[in-house]
Amino acid sequence: MRFDVLTLFPELFAPLLTSGVTRRAYESKQVELVFWNPRDFAEGNYRRIDDRPFGGGPGMVMMAGPLAACLDAALAARGAAAPVVLFSPVGETLRHAAVEGWAGGEGAVLVCGRYEGIDQRFIDARVTHQVSLGDFVLSGGEIAAMALIDAVARLQSGVLGDEASHVQDSFNPALDGMLDCPHYTRPEVWNGQPVPAPLMSGHHAQIDRWRRDQRLALTAERRPELVDAARTAGRLSRADESALKKKL
Ligand SMILES: C[S@@+](CC[C@H](N)C(=O)[O-])C[C@H]1O[C@@H](n2cnc3c(N)ncnc32)[C@H](O)[C@@H]1O
């Protein structure tokens, strides 16, 4: 899959290409990244990409023209139509289901805003999806784009060292969308706290049940709506329900 990233700061993405899981996805070409700088498509000696907002007010607004020319070049290079994603607080908050959708697709053009935002006429004419990272304001869309690329990269086959590991992560439908259980490693006692006994039992069924119960209890406490969704979808067994009753 290929992501074309429109950004005034392509250098911010360097660590993604050189470190960890995203590096593996990039080097194996499972996730191809191509960067486009709207400034390269701006006119005049100053290559201006922003201007003052009509109506007054603080800050600057990214101009539609350079962004549209930049997007045209990115789409022409892809040779096919693609979703155009703008990162914005206006968008739908990014969740696992959407990440799975992007992970199974051909990629997209990702547009990173800066300053006060982007001229609305560009958004209306060219953007197909708006994605938010959450109810807070970033200085630019780059961190949101990196979050999407990272989350998509780790779902690609073979990118994680252990193929099955993402299936055990929080929100994965394979574990009914629950939060992950707590994890422990050596030493067996740290700071006076032992590792929970079931994990030391060597009995796989007991370990699996303990982990499932922990997931259920944690999710019921922190994200009860996820437990409700699993129940509505008929994903909770009798053992699950009795574990939930005991913990609540
Ligand atoms: C300083 S912000 C603009 C904020 C805008 N004036 C507002 O109040 O919603 C600059 C850019 O950062 C990106 N951005 C900011 N917060 C974001 C969020 N929560 N999720 C995704 N992108 C965000 C957007 O691309 C935005 O155009």
Side-chain angles (χ1 to χ4, degrees), residues 151-205:
V152 162
R154 66 197 310 285
L155 294 187
Q156 302 305 306
S157 168
V159 164
L160 293 184
D162 181 348
E163 187 57 26
S165 81
H166 71 74
V167 168
Q168 314 245 344
D169 284 339
S170 297
F171 311 116
N172 200 291
L175 291 172
D176 305 319
M178 299 293 149
L179 298 175
D180 196 8
C181 59
H183 299 282
Y184 300 85
T185 187
R186 288 189 178 83
E188 286 178 27
V189 178
W190 180 81
N191 202 28
Q193 302 172 79
V195 171
L199 295 179
M200 308 304 291
S201 68
H203 291 112
H204 289 303

Side-chain angles (χ1 to χ4, degrees), residues 4-154:
D4 290 87
V5 186
L6 274 56
T7 171
L8 292 170
F9 299 100
E11 67 276 13
L12 291 178
F13 291 81
L16 215 60
L17 311 181
T18 53
S19 311
V21 166
T22 45
R23 176 181 65 84
R24 279 207 292 278
Y26 180 65
E27 285 182 351
S28 67
K29 300 203 186 317
Q30 277 170 295
V31 176
E32 200 182 338
L33 295 177
V34 182
F35 297 98
W36 301 85
N37 193 331
R39 205 174 287 286
D40 296 335
F41 297 84
E43 287 169 2
N45 289 343
Y46 293 105
R47 295 197 168 274
R48 190 160 186 182
I49 46 78
D50 60 341
D51 211 330
R52 289 189 300 278
F54 280 124
M60 302 294 272
V61 177
M62 289 179 79
M63 295 156 75
L67 275 171
C70 187
L71 175 59
D72 287 341
L75 289 171
R78 288 179 75 99
V84 178
V85 179
L86 171 65
F87 295 99
S88 166
V90 165
E92 196 173 317
T93 305
L94 190 59
R95 295 187 197 288
H96 180 82
V99 169
E100 273 196 339
W102 293 113
E106 295 294 313
V109 179
L110 307 181
V111 182
C112 304
R114 280 271 156 178
Y115 315 124
E116 283 308 311
I118 291 177
D119 189 312
Q120 187 62 36
R121 292 167 294 185
F122 172 84
I123 300 172
D124 293 343
R126 307 301 302 270
V127 168
T128 61
H129 297 70
Q130 297 199 58
V131 173
S132 169
L133 210 54
D135 290 353
F136 49 86
V137 175
L138 295 159
S139 307
E142 287 79 5
I143 288 175
M146 285 188 251
L148 176 64
I149 293 166
D150 182 298
V152 162
R154 66 197 310 285

